[in-house]
Amino acid sequence: MVREEVAGSTRTRQWKCIESRVDSKRLYYGRFILSPLMKGQADTIGIAMRRVLLGEIEGTCIIRAKFDKVPHEYSTIVGVEESVHEILMNLKEIILRSNLYGVQDASICVKGPKRVTAQDIISPPSIEIIDTTQHIANLTEHIDLCIGLQIKRDRGYRMKSTNNSQDGSYPIDAVSMPVRNANHSIYSYGNGNEKQEILFLEIWTNGSLTPKEALYEASRNLIDLFIPFLHAEEENANFEEKKNKFALPPFTFHDRLDNLNKNKKGIAFKSIFIDQSELSSRTYNCLKRSNIHTLLDLLSNSQEDLMRIEYFRTEDLKQILSILQRHFAIDLPKNKFSF
């Protein structure tokens, strides 16, 4: 069935979601296909995408918890069933979603008797708790329990340091990996030189993002990793080789913009990512939260649109306008109806 559908399509590679389901709040599943591909291409893409999905997608988690008057991690608290260590393990299982970078503070302040869950976490509006039923502790007596939390958006796995406790503050293994698993398989059809392949990609996530969102983020991150190689122009290669035989030519945002000015048929706006610009991290984060990833995305907005972005300041707008003016001699319209 899939083969017939692909054979009837154009020769242009296309992707499609063929299955999507939500097994629970903490488990999403998606199955995608990419076709048609030449022999060997499916394995190349599948291996690269799986590695990026499992290691390069960012997630948000609790990285530290602080207790009052707790001498060490394996202490017990009167009126609480769980030890401090067990509470830390439960906090590690909480799944969060946030688009903000840097460390953010949250807290838990409850009175017993009570069953404490993730719903009792007091956090900034930018942080979303995926499963509020996650168990944290069970208070059996009339006591007050207050826990200070630190939350961070990161990628990969960061193991806590065993000697990093500070006045009742204990680190937690940071599991910033929203993709639980990813697999790829290949279906081949045709004969001889006409042989083609279909790539099947399966993605399981923890609910903090959908498999489709994970696929998009992985594709963006994979493109970002290879962008420096797109700048390997022959006219500059010889010069750089003579200048420094063992140094790779640096890649900068300015080089790509200057090259685009010289050659109008060169790199398209959609291939220039704001990641390589000299924007401050604050401005960059504001744009990324609004799904502005490329120069084309940026030029699709007016000054009025940018000022509507949360936490976006006039200074950020001036910085963007300065970059566009210096390298392209163009300005963003003040509003959607400006000409």
Side-chain angles (χ1 to χ4, degrees):
M1 186 62 148
V2 174
R3 175 180 173 179
E4 293 175 358
E5 183 177 335
V6 172
S9 66
T10 64
R11 301 285 294 182
T12 304
R13 287 189 295 273
Q14 296 179 344
W15 74 275
K16 183 179 181 181
C17 178
I18 59 176
E19 186 179 355
S20 178
R21 68 173 186 262
V22 178
D23 294 330
S24 69
K25 291 182 179 180
R26 305 165 68 92
L27 185 61
Y28 286 33
Y29 172 80
R31 191 170 186 233
F32 308 87
I33 61 171
L34 176 66
S35 64
L37 296 168
M38 297 176 63
K39 184 179 179 181
Q41 289 182 337
D43 210 26
T44 300
I45 298 172
I47 293 173
M49 286 297 294
R50 184 177 187 276
R51 291 184 66 89
V52 174
L53 282 165
L54 294 176
E56 297 292 332
I57 305 297
E58 295 178 340
T60 304
C61 63
I62 299 172
I63 62 169
R64 183 174 285 274
K66 183 175 183 179
F67 299 80
D68 291 332
K69 300 177 181 178
V70 173
H72 56 79
E73 180 179 338
Y74 297 96
S75 300
T76 57
I77 302 174
V78 176
V80 181
E81 283 189 1
E82 293 81 1
S83 66
V84 172
H85 177 73
E86 290 173 325
I87 294 175
L88 293 176
M89 293 300 99
N90 291 336
L91 291 172
K92 179 181 175 180
E93 296 298 320
I94 294 175
I95 299 173
L96 305 171
R97 179 185 177 114
S98 174
N99 291 323
L100 294 183
Y101 292 88
V103 177
Q104 301 181 72
D105 294 325
S107 62
I108 299 173
C109 290
V110 293
K111 287 180 176 292
K114 177 181 174 62
R115 181 175 180 269
V116 185
T117 66
Q119 188 174 9
D120 296 304
I121 296 176
I122 304 171
S123 61
S126 59
I127 297 175
E128 177 187 355
I129 302 172
I130 301 302
D131 183 6
T132 56
T133 64
Q134 169 63 42
H135 178 73
I136 297 176
N138 191 28
L139 309 188
T140 58
E141 299 181 13
H142 293 277
I143 63 168
D144 294 334
L145 177 66
C146 291
I147 307 174
L149 305 174
Q150 287 186 345
I151 298 172
K152 185 179 181 181
R153 179 180 171 89
D154 203 346
R155 68 179 60 181
Y157 180 81
R158 300 284 187 275
M159 185 177 294
K160 66 179 181 179
S161 172
T162 55
N163 298 319
N164 199 18
S165 59
Q166 304 168 357
D167 300 326
S169 175
Y170 301 97
I172 301 174
D173 291 339
V175 186
S176 305
M177 301 167 65
V179 176
R180 291 186 177 274
N181 195 13
N183 288 328
H184 82 279
S185 57
I186 302 168
Y187 174 76
S188 300
Y189 62 96
N191 296 311
N193 295 332
E194 298 298 323
K195 196 166 187 178
Q196 293 183 321
E197 297 177 339
I198 303 172
L199 171 65
F200 291 83
L201 192 63
E202 294 180 288
I203 302 173
W204 291 262
T205 69
N206 65 1
S208 63
L209 78 173
T210 66
K212 186 176 180 180
E213 290 173 327
L215 184 63
Y216 174 79
E217 285 296 321
S219 302
R220 283 266 301 108
N221 291 341
L222 192 58
I223 291 172
D224 287 346
L225 291 173
F226 285 99
I227 279 181
F229 297 106
L230 298 179
H231 187 61
E233 300 175 5
E234 291 186 3
E235 60 263 31
N236 293 331
N238 293 333
F239 173 77
E240 292 295 335
E241 186 176 1
K242 292 177 182 179
K243 182 178 178 182
N244 190 343
K245 186 176 181 180
F246 300 101
L248 291 174
F251 169 75
T252 65
F253 184 69
H254 311 290
D255 295 331
R256 290 180 65 82
L257 296 181
D258 292 340
N259 180 68
L260 184 58
N261 280 332
K262 294 175 183 177
N263 182 6
K264 297 300 181 182
K265 295 182 180 180
I267 306 170
F269 283 178
K270 65 181 180 181
S271 298
I272 302 178
F273 294 91
I274 62 172
D275 309 55
Q276 280 72 46
S277 71
E278 73 271 32
L279 292 171
S280 65
S281 58
R282 187 185 182 284
T283 306
Y284 167 75
N285 288 334
C286 285
L287 294 178
K288 190 169 182 179
R289 282 201 310 273
S290 299
N291 290 321
I292 298 176
H293 304 291
T294 67
L295 185 59
L296 182 62
D297 296 337
L298 180 60
L299 295 177
S300 299
N301 290 269
S302 65
Q303 296 182 32
E304 187 178 17
D305 293 332
L306 296 181
M307 291 305 299
R308 289 197 187 101
I309 297 175
E310 189 176 11
Y311 305 123
F312 197 85
R313 305 173 305 180
T314 305
E315 291 79 0
D316 302 324
L317 177 62
K318 290 179 180 178
Q319 185 183 43
I320 292 173
L321 294 176
S322 174
I323 293 173
L324 293 176
Q325 185 63 41
R326 283 202 313 272
H327 299 288
F328 284 96
I330 58 175
D331 289 313
L332 289 178
K334 292 186 176 180
N335 54 62
K336 285 293 186 183
F337 301 99
S338 295
F339 296 94

